Structure formats: C-alpha cells, structure tokens
Amino acid sequence: MRMVDLIIKKQEGKALTKEEIRFIIDGYTDGSIPDYQMSAWAMAVFFQDMTDEERMELTMAMAESGDQIDLSAIEGIKVDKHSTGGVGDTTTLVLAPLVASCGVPVAKMSGRGLGHTGGTLDKLESIPGFHVEIDEATFASIVNENKVAVIGQSGNLCPADKKLYALRDVTGTVNSLPLIASSIMCKKIAAGADAIVLDVKIGAGAFMKTEEDARALAHAMVKIGNLAGRKTMAIISDMSQPLGVAVGNALEVEVAIETLKGNGPKDLEALCIELGSQMVYLGGKAADLAEARELVTENLRNGKALEKFKVFVASQGGNPAVVDDYSLMPQASRQQEVLAEATGYVTEIVADDIGVAAMLLGAGRATKESTIDLSAGLKILKKVGDPVRKGEAIVRMFANKADFGQAEKLIQEAYSIGEEQKEITLIHSVILD
Ligand code: URA
C-alpha cells in the first residue's frame, strides 16, 4: 500500500477500506508516514468527508493506537459521559454520584483542564485529601464496591489522535466533522466505556456555534459509537451563557454539592437530570427514558445521590465533611463585586468572556505549565432573564494574587442589559440515532 494512492483515493471522494485506514493511522503513529502526507490526507478528508463506516474505522484505529483501559473487572454496563466543553460545566461532579446511586457503575477517567477552569481532577482536588492516583486494580475494586471512582488520565491514550490533532491545528483541518467526531469518540472508546452519553454544546461559549453544526456532530458521534458496538446517545444543550452559577474549581464543587442537596441552579439541575436519565437507561437500570428520569429525579430529591457523593469522596481519601462545611475547601483571600451598569433585564452573558475572566482571576491554566488557584473564580449572581437595577451586583469575583481590574472589564463586556426579558432554551434536542 502507498500513502500517496490513499491520498488520491480520498481526494477523488472514494471511501477507504478498514485496511487502508489502519495503514494510515498505524503508519502515522509509528512515524513511517510523514506529516506532509498526513496533512494532504486530512485536507482531502476535509473536502470529501467520510462515510459512517470510514468514520467508525478511523475512530477504532485511533482508539487502538495506544493504551486501552480494560474495565472488564468491573461488573455491569460502564457508561461514560462526554461534554464538548463549556463554562461553569460541573455536571460530572453531580452525575457521577447521582448515576452511581441508581446502580450504574461510573468508572471515570478524567483530565486536568486547560483554559477557563480546571478539569474534573482539579475540581475534585479542591476537596482536602482527595487523590486520583490509584492503580487500576484498586480503581476496579472501589467501583465494584461503591459504583463510582475517578482516576487520572493515562499518559498514552490515543497517541494517533494527539499527533493528528496537533497537525490539524496548523493545517486548517480542525473544523472537519469526521475528524472532530472520531477524535472525540476514540478517547471515550479507549477509556473502556460500554455505553456513551454525549453533551454537545451550542452557543457563544461552545465549539459548535449553530444548532445545525451541533446536530451534525451529535449524529456523527452517535453513529460512530453505535457502529463500534457502544450504545451511544446525545443531547444538544445551550452554552450561550455559562452553566450554573460558578466558574472556578472549589466554587464549582460547592455548586455541585448544592445541586446534590436539591438547591442547585435550575439549569445545571435540569441538565444533570437529562444526562443522568440517558446514563441510567443505557446502563440497563430502567426500561425506558421516562422510568430512568423518575429514578434519577427521586435520588436527587431523597438524598441518596448526596450520600453517594460522601462515600465517593471518602473512598478516594477526601474529607466528606466538606458537604456541610465549604470552608474546608481553599478560600480566596479577596472578593470584589461587579456592578450592573444599567437597569433592565440581563439579555446576554457571553460565556467565553466569563471563562477568560475566571482564568485571569487564577481559576484556569493559560498554558499546561501554569499553576491553578483552586479558590479563585467567580459567582454569577444574575443570569439571562433576571431583572437588575443599576449598581446592583451581577458577579462576585474571588482571587488571591490576581488583579480584579482586567477580569471586571471582561465581565462588563460579557453582560448585556436590555428592556426585553429573554428566556433561554437549555436542552435543544435529544439525539438517539
Ligand atoms: N475535541 C477533540 O477532542 N477533538 C477535536 O477534534 C475537537 C474537539
């Protein structure tokens, strides 16, 4: 087989076979196919697209290019969740104990964050004593016993994807539907999931800006998952304003705990119920989505999910007393409010700008080497649709060393206040196939 022939075949719009796709991915991973040929191929895919079968084969070839996590020692159907990324998205911290409390094993591999705030690992490390460095055997036995555990990401997951993503970044081929869908799905499959629930975000704070693009990505990923033998579903949810009421690590843990107590922000709670229902249904603990929704809602209301959170935290060395005393988590030494510049209703909060503001306060990493301030970030006091008076606080900022000035400027720019009361639709659609 010659790479040049496969580039031309794709350039002519023809479908590649499983063997041809394996040849490309294996060759690129081991270095026998150079960057310039891979770039040409990625550009051919960009213009000619791939069939559903090709997308699945590409996903599997990338999933098998490095370490694959073996979760077979864990009983039951392991359901994973993936979000395409947003601001203030602390769903995993709510969903993991919630779904586990319904009997579905949650064996989650999570990473650290780059950008707005930390990843799930950073957030969990706001809880004193919590650690994620556990070996695979201990991880499996904790999940078997408690139905939930979170482990740090393996060093060599999908090396083909890592290399190809870096190449796409500099060759104008990031924005290709088959390449995005296979890039996301290969990591979920390599992490050992039997079933996958996807949360595809749309809006100013999301990777996909329009409903049409988000739907296409969701359908593509659901197809790939199902063709690969992993039951997969997706929802499309709003990210035109930040989710919930906090952006920052310890601050988001606090909001997640409030949600588990039944006092969470309405949008975060609704999203967790929707995603949780799909996870419980795919995990085989309900006959249909309606029954799953009932079970999930009940466990959020009766305290079982909160109890499971305490067990989860304690099993990984954390102090479960944080549930009743948030001051056990890192606290910022300084706070400052941002005040509304007009009277009316909040009509827009550009999520991306709020994310960057939180990062400037110390909550995120600008580069992989940056250190994160777990106590820093912001609380959103007014969301879209809320009435405000000029001079009233709309955001409270938390920092230690960081300067408030630039973050405040960004927050003011992110907020629009107008005369009309707007409502935001949180869940745009549910994609089942
Ligand atoms: N996220 C990924 O993991 N890959 C992409 O290609 C885009 C977003």
Side-chain angles (χ1 to χ4, degrees):
M1 236 180 268
R2 291 191 323 155
M3 183 61 176
V4 64
D5 299 325
L6 303 182
I7 296 169
I8 293 167
K9 188 171 177 184
K10 186 39 69 188
Q11 187 188 51
E12 289 171 347
K14 294 180 185 144
L16 300 173
T17 64
K18 171 179 178 170
E19 290 68 33
E20 288 167 339
I21 290 172
R22 292 272 159 171
F23 173 82
I24 295 170
I25 294 304
D26 293 350
Y28 189 53
T29 310
D30 70 23
S32 56
I33 292 175
D35 278 351
Y36 55 82
Q37 284 193 308
M38 199 62 181
S39 314
W41 179 78
M43 191 58 85
V45 170
F46 181 93
F47 282 113
Q48 294 291 4
D49 207 340
M50 288 181 127
T51 64
D52 291 335
E53 283 292 333
E54 283 181 290
R55 293 172 181 184
M56 182 272 286
E57 293 299 352
L58 174 62
T59 303
M60 293 310 287
M62 293 201 293
E64 289 164 19
S65 68
D67 294 347
Q68 288 178 83
I69 312 303
D70 179 7
L71 299 180
S72 58
I74 298 170
E75 299 139 20
I77 302 171
K78 278 75 68 181
V79 188
D80 203 353
K81 188 252 346 173
H82 177 79
S83 153
T84 59
V87 179
D89 188 346
T90 189
T91 48
T92 299
L93 297 186
V94 180
L95 281 172
L98 174 59
V99 170
S101 76
C102 299
V104 176
V106 179
K108 183 113 188 107
M109 179 180 274
S110 282
R112 299 196 183 280
L114 184 62
H116 305 146
T117 58
T120 298
L121 292 192
D122 301 298
K123 292 175 198 175
L124 284 169
E125 283 174 355
S126 308
I127 300 170
F130 196 101
H131 63 88
V132 291
E133 291 81 22
I134 37 181
D135 61 73
E136 272 188 42
T138 312
F139 178 61
S141 76
I142 298 178
V143 180
N144 277 332
E145 195 179 331
N146 299 333
K147 294 278 179 260
V148 56
V150 173
I151 194 171
Q153 208 141 354
S154 144
N156 194 32
L157 210 68
C158 304
D161 172 64
K162 217 170 272 173
K163 230 178 140 180
L164 179 56
Y165 192 85
L167 186 74
R168 287 166 55 208
D169 208 21
V170 292
T171 55
T173 49
V174 165
N175 208 3
S176 154
L177 183 71
L179 297 182
I180 297 171
S182 55
S183 168
I184 293 173
M185 290 301 285
C186 72
K187 287 168 278 204
K188 292 286 116 182
I189 288 173
D194 298 318
I196 302 160
V197 170
L198 300 160
D199 179 12
V200 179
K201 308 282 194 189
I202 51 167
F207 195 57
M208 293 285 148
K209 306 290 179 207
T210 67
E211 171 121 24
E212 195 188 346
D213 287 350
R215 269 178 171 278
L217 178 61
H219 277 296
M221 293 194 292
V222 169
K223 262 264 152 45
I224 288 173
N226 286 323
L227 281 173
R230 279 30 174 221
K231 280 195 219 149
T232 306
M233 289 182 175
I235 68 166
I236 295 176
S237 72
D238 176 75
M239 192 36 77
S240 66
Q241 69 169 341
L243 185 68
V245 289
V247 188
N249 299 279
L251 296 170
E252 287 185 41
V253 174
E254 198 179 310
V255 172
I257 295 171
E258 281 299 311
T259 307
L260 289 164
K261 287 178 179 172
N263 308 322
K266 290 284 156 281
D267 57 351
L268 179 63
E269 181 185 278
L271 187 61
C272 288
I273 289 175
E274 198 62 47
L275 291 168
S277 307
Q278 291 200 353
M279 291 175 80
V280 167
Y281 170 64
L282 290 181
K285 297 294 174 191
D288 53 33
L289 276 172
E291 191 182 313
R293 173 182 278 275
E294 244 173 68
L295 182 58
V296 164
T297 311
E298 199 177 300
N299 280 12
L300 204 53
R301 305 275 181 257
N302 64 16
K304 283 193 184 164
L306 181 67
E307 276 314 302
K308 187 58 87 177
F309 181 80
K310 288 189 201 166
V311 171
F312 160 53
V313 166
S315 75
Q316 295 195 226
N319 183 356
V322 287
V323 163
D324 301 308
D325 184 359
Y326 300 138
S327 73
L328 293 171
M329 289 190 284
Q331 302 291 306
S333 57
R334 293 157 53 237
Q335 298 184 18
Q336 187 170 304
E337 288 178 341
V338 179
L339 307 180
E341 289 180 330
T343 295
Y345 294 99
V346 178
T347 54
E348 190 181 17
I349 309 173
V350 181
D352 263 355
D353 290 348
I354 296 292
V356 176
M359 196 178 80
L360 291 174
L361 294 169
R365 292 183 181 86
T367 69
K368 264 193 259 174
E369 288 69 36
S370 320
T371 49
I372 212 161
D373 179 348
L374 293 172
S375 67
L378 51 91
K379 281 191 180 171
I380 296 165
L381 308 177
K382 298 286 176 189
K383 299 219 11 165
V384 170
D386 286 346
V388 283
R389 275 174 290 103
K390 188 174 174 184
E392 198 178 359
I394 49 176
V395 166
R396 184 171 301 123
M397 302 180 286
F398 296 79
N400 287 302
K401 292 198 196 94
D403 183 31
F404 286 125
Q406 223 189 331
E408 177 168 13
K409 187 166 175 286
L410 262 176
I411 292 164
Q412 287 292 10
E413 280 167 15
Y415 268 78
S416 300
I417 295 171
E419 284 174 10
E420 222 174 290
Q421 189 169 25
K422 253 178 66 176
E423 229 181 274
I424 285 192
T425 306
L426 176 69
I427 292 161
H428 290 251
S429 32
V430 175
I431 311 279
L432 303 178
D433 56 26

